[in-house]
Amino acid sequence: MTPQKPSADGEQAADGRATDVGPAVDYETVSVPVLVVGAGAAGARVAIGLAQNGVEPLVIGKRDHGDAHTTWAAGGINASLGSLDPEDDWTIHAADTLDEGHFINDPRAVELTAKHMPDRIRELDDWGMPFDRTEDGKINQRYFGAQSFRRTCFVGDRTGEAMLDTLVDRAQSLEIPYRDNVMITRLLSDGDRVYGAAGYDMESGEFILFESDHVVLAAGGSSALYNRHSSRDEENNGDGPALALEAGASLMDMEFVQFHPTGMVGDRYGEDWDGRLVTEAVRGEGGRLLNADGERFMEEYSPDQMELDARDVVARAIAQELREGRGTENGGVYLDISHRDDKYIKSRLPRMYERFMDLGVDITEESMEVAPTAHYSMGGVDIDFETGETGVSGLYAVGETVAGVHGANRLGGNSLAETVAIGALVGDHVAAQVTDDDRDDALPAGQRAIAEREFRSLQELAASDGDETPGGLLADLGDLLWEHAGILRNGESLSDGLAALDALRERTGDIGIDGDRTSLSFELAVDLFFSLTVAEALLLSARKRDESRGAHYRTDAPSVDPEWRRNILVDRGDTGLELTTRGVAEPSEAVSEAVDVGYELDYHHLE
């Protein structure tokens, strides 16, 4: 929510509340040394780092404990262990990541992730994560698209679920406090410093004011803004980046949205399955893409790497096949792995096998229908990756909420890697910033006034009785972005999208809520206001970048422009969002040497 800013000098009553900013509102106050917003892998690993350093954080999540979006990351997690390819090392992992990101990644972020991942995998192994093993007992590793060696560790095709279970078990062993079903709607900030957060209990509807001098945002990304996406509808709506922007932090790389090549096709499997991810592990284990004519079309688009080329390349290839009329009658293409042995498929892809069997499709005998789906946000909050600092004192961010590791396109298997590699660093850093004096001062009256105005704004929203439904507005936003900022973009369409966004925003004035503050309707309404902010940043950034790079493809500027090896930053100005650009640093000498070698794997053994 973005209510008007209150006066910062209101009088305080005996209970510490500002008395001149409106009628009283009831709320719970919680004071904690560190508030971690988000309970997926990134938030959990930050919290573990804090606890291991003697600091007790409070972790809050929008879902039941252990039910974070991390569980949807199926295929694997990257680390240069060299279990099968001993010549692999962290510099080559970093080089692959930079190459996939088209060299506008933050090189320091990439190198920290690649360098620390072997230790993070060994740590997860020590904590009980049941990695698949080779015959001689090593952690097994599989091929993933655009990687030079087999470095993707996995637990069948349920790696994210197994990883989150492991992290939650570790957190519980450390007795880390947790509150589930809580949504943060605003950070308490004066633009220079954070003082806590305001939110509500999604089960009771009660308001909560969190007082904390250290807030870590680990709230996920924003891919669910699109109408075809691989997230649950109520997650990845952009709340993390929107909260940070409102608090005074900068966003970066918002134009870069990864469209995963293989989402399920709703017209074949049902609306509830539209866009759901068919893991890259299917292609990593030898899956083939075929058009409606039975042609293996990746032979034309990428004869060397075939189905295991970069995600943006494969997604555009599918989009082109569909555009030229070689798709299925349901609007997809075929993904086939039936040429592999039945037992192999069932052991390496158990979740995919079971899912499709439940839908009446035996993937050991027949093809799946797939089409590109919005999957991951490379853009997010601009941070210092050794610390997680955002530039707003006391505010940190980590995970898919941030930008920098992935650049213009994410390397498959790097999302889970980032959460634990950077999450561990941020946890250690934030712990060192916590002092006994942090909560000695009372919450400033102006910040309490901001929280109370937020609560009143939420009350008013819940009482809205207009004709526009939150779900309908979100669906229209998803259509708008798919049409104007989808896989193929151009400047004119992006401008049209911004105009359409203004019109959609006008319609929020006639919003109506079906139920109280515990209802899904209310939750979606809160999501909507976050989503509108992020959508505007995305459209503006995509229009400004008049070149094609990675996942951002402009049909009116189809080439990479060397002058655009820059990041686009988004800030909240006095009259709206403001955009600036910043040059990209160079990688270290060791990683530059790995880039120059140009390591590349021959994937054709999968035939």
Side-chain angles (χ1 to χ4, degrees):
M1 301 291 293
T2 54
Q4 290 183 333
K5 292 185 177 180
S7 168
D9 57 357
E11 284 185 13
Q12 285 186 282
D15 64 357
R17 295 183 185 180
T19 59
D20 64 343
V21 292
V25 59
D26 293 327
Y27 55 89
E28 175 188 3
T29 299
V30 177
S31 296
V32 291
V34 182
L35 180 68
V36 179
V37 182
R45 188 57 186 85
V46 169
I48 289 167
L50 288 161
Q52 290 178 159
N53 282 284
V55 175
E56 183 178 88
L58 174 63
V59 180
I60 58 175
K62 292 195 293 187
R63 302 286 170 253
D64 293 338
H65 202 186
D67 187 27
H69 191 258
T70 304
T71 61
W72 287 41
I77 177 171
N78 294 335
S80 55
L81 298 180
S83 297
L84 300 176
D85 297 318
E87 61 270 45
D88 193 19
D89 68 24
W90 75 267
T91 64
I92 306 172
H93 180 186
D96 285 351
T97 301
L98 290 167
D99 185 62
E100 179 77 341
H102 293 257
F103 296 95
I104 61 166
N105 327 55
D106 178 331
R108 185 63 179 147
V110 171
E111 295 184 18
L112 286 168
T113 300
K115 185 179 290 187
H116 284 276
M117 272 315 299
D119 285 344
R120 297 287 74 79
I121 290 292
R122 287 187 277 267
E123 178 180 72
L124 288 165
D125 189 34
D126 289 343
W127 291 347
M129 186 166 169
F131 289 108
D132 281 37
R133 301 277 174 175
T134 63
E135 290 183 358
D136 58 357
K138 295 178 182 178
I139 293 174
N140 205 354
Q141 297 186 280
R142 65 169 34 132
Y143 298 97
F144 245 42
Q147 305 218 43
S148 297
F149 294 102
R150 291 171 286 186
R151 71 167 66 96
T152 304
C153 312
F154 59 96
V155 181
D157 57 357
R158 60 178 194 90
T159 309
E161 178 183 349
M163 182 169 132
L164 186 60
D165 287 347
T166 302
L167 292 170
V168 168
D169 287 346
R170 177 65 176 171
Q172 289 178 334
S173 73
L174 295 169
E175 299 182 341
I176 295 173
Y178 177 89
R179 286 187 68 158
D180 52 13
N181 298 296
V182 171
M183 181 183 281
I184 296 301
T185 64
R186 186 176 183 124
L187 299 180
L188 304 181
S189 168
D190 58 14
D192 296 318
R193 174 185 172 188
V194 73
Y195 298 88
Y200 74 102
D201 186 304
M202 301 167 72
E203 291 189 320
S204 69
E206 295 178 351
F207 297 130
I208 312 170
L209 189 161
F210 295 95
E211 297 180 336
S212 182
D213 288 327
H214 306 278
V215 177
V216 182
L217 286 174
S222 50
S223 60
L225 270 65
Y226 288 81
N227 63 358
R228 293 197 76 246
H229 58 81
S230 60
S231 304
R232 285 182 284 206
D233 288 341
E234 301 85 41
E235 295 182 358
N236 283 332
N237 301 105
D239 45 346
L243 286 166
L245 182 67
E246 178 68 22
S250 299
L251 305 185
M252 185 175 80
D253 291 345
M254 296 303 293
E255 68 273 30
F256 294 116
V257 178
Q258 184 170 78
F259 296 92
H260 196 289
T262 55
M264 295 173 68
V265 175
D267 285 349
R268 168 76 184 276
Y269 303 112
E271 184 178 346
D272 290 344
W273 291 99
D274 193 30
R276 290 278 200 99
L277 194 64
V278 177
T279 172
E280 186 169 317
V282 175
R283 288 178 290 125
E285 301 295 354
R288 300 168 177 171
L289 288 167
L290 309 170
N291 61 25
D293 298 327
E295 298 167 335
R296 193 174 178 189
F297 56 86
M298 288 308 298
E299 293 176 345
E300 177 182 348
Y301 297 96
S302 180
D304 293 328
Q305 294 183 310
M306 300 289 283
E307 287 83 4
L308 284 176
D309 205 334
R311 288 177 173 177
D312 61 317
V313 174
V314 181
R316 281 198 298 275
I318 295 174
Q320 191 66 25
E321 291 295 298
L322 298 178
R323 172 182 275 192
E324 295 181 4
R326 293 186 290 275
T328 68
E329 63 180 16
N330 296 312
V333 296
Y334 296 114
L335 175 62
D336 183 63
I337 197 169
S338 62
H339 56 283
R340 301 305 301 256
D341 180 76
D342 291 11
K343 291 182 180 178
Y344 185 89
I345 294 171
K346 293 174 184 178
S347 66
R348 300 295 279 263
L349 302 166
R351 175 177 285 182
M352 289 296 102
Y353 174 76
E354 293 166 5
R355 177 194 294 179
F356 280 94
M357 280 297 290
D358 288 343
L359 294 169
V361 178
D362 184 348
I363 66 172
T364 68
E365 297 182 356
E366 55 188 305
S367 300
M368 299 158 267
E369 280 191 62
V370 297
T373 181
H375 179 54
Y376 192 89
S377 314
M378 276 75 75
V381 185
D382 181 31
I383 67 166
D384 178 306
F385 273 85
E386 297 193 56
T387 65
E389 294 176 356
T390 65
V392 177
S393 180
L395 179 62
Y396 312 85
V398 69
E400 195 178 350
T401 296
V402 310
V405 171
H406 311 297
N409 199 40
R410 178 173 66 82
L411 189 70
N414 267 359
S415 59
L416 292 180
E418 177 191 9
T419 63
V420 291
I422 305 303
L425 295 174
V426 173
D428 290 346
H429 174 77
V430 175
Q433 311 311 305
V434 177
T435 70
D436 292 337
D437 298 331
D438 278 347
R439 289 259 49 95
D440 284 352
D441 297 331
L443 185 69
Q447 295 301 315
R448 187 173 296 276
I450 289 174
E452 294 184 355
R453 283 204 175 182
E454 176 69 4
F455 297 146
R456 282 191 291 274
S457 179
L458 293 170
Q459 282 181 325
E460 293 170 4
L461 177 62
S464 300
D465 60 356
D467 294 329
E468 297 278 6
T469 67
L473 290 167
L474 280 167
D476 288 348
L477 177 61
D479 291 338
L480 184 160
L481 287 175
W482 195 268
E483 178 181 356
H484 297 288
I487 297 174
L488 305 176
R489 306 167 173 180
N490 66 71
E492 182 180 357
S493 181
L494 289 162
S495 292
D496 290 344
L498 284 162
L501 185 68
D502 287 341
L504 195 152
R505 191 178 267 122
E506 286 290 322
R507 291 165 55 196
T508 64
D510 191 33
I511 200 168
I513 305 301
D514 182 14
D516 59 16
R517 295 197 299 269
T518 66
S519 67
L520 177 60
S521 177
F522 181 73
E523 177 186 345
L524 293 179
V526 175
D527 286 338
L528 174 63
F529 290 99
F530 293 137
S531 298
L532 289 169
T533 296
V534 173
E536 182 180 3
L538 191 166
L539 287 161
L540 286 169
S541 299
R543 185 176 64 177
K544 187 173 183 66
R545 183 175 291 279
D546 53 353
E547 65 152 0
S548 291
R549 187 183 293 265
H552 172 71
Y553 189 81
R554 288 276 297 262
T555 58
D556 55 346
S559 300
V560 174
D561 182 350
E563 297 299 318
W564 259 116
R565 188 171 172 251
R566 304 182 65 80
N567 301 115
I568 297 176
L569 299 172
V570 181
D571 290 280
R572 186 173 290 283
D574 294 336
T575 59
L577 300 186
E578 297 179 349
L579 273 58
T580 56
T581 68
R582 182 177 68 199
V584 181
E586 296 299 324
S588 67
E589 183 177 350
V591 172
S592 294
E593 290 176 357
V595 170
D596 291 340
V597 169
Y599 292 93
E600 189 171 283
L601 189 69
D602 178 9
Y603 293 94
H604 289 283
H605 77 284
L606 292 171
E607 299 306 306

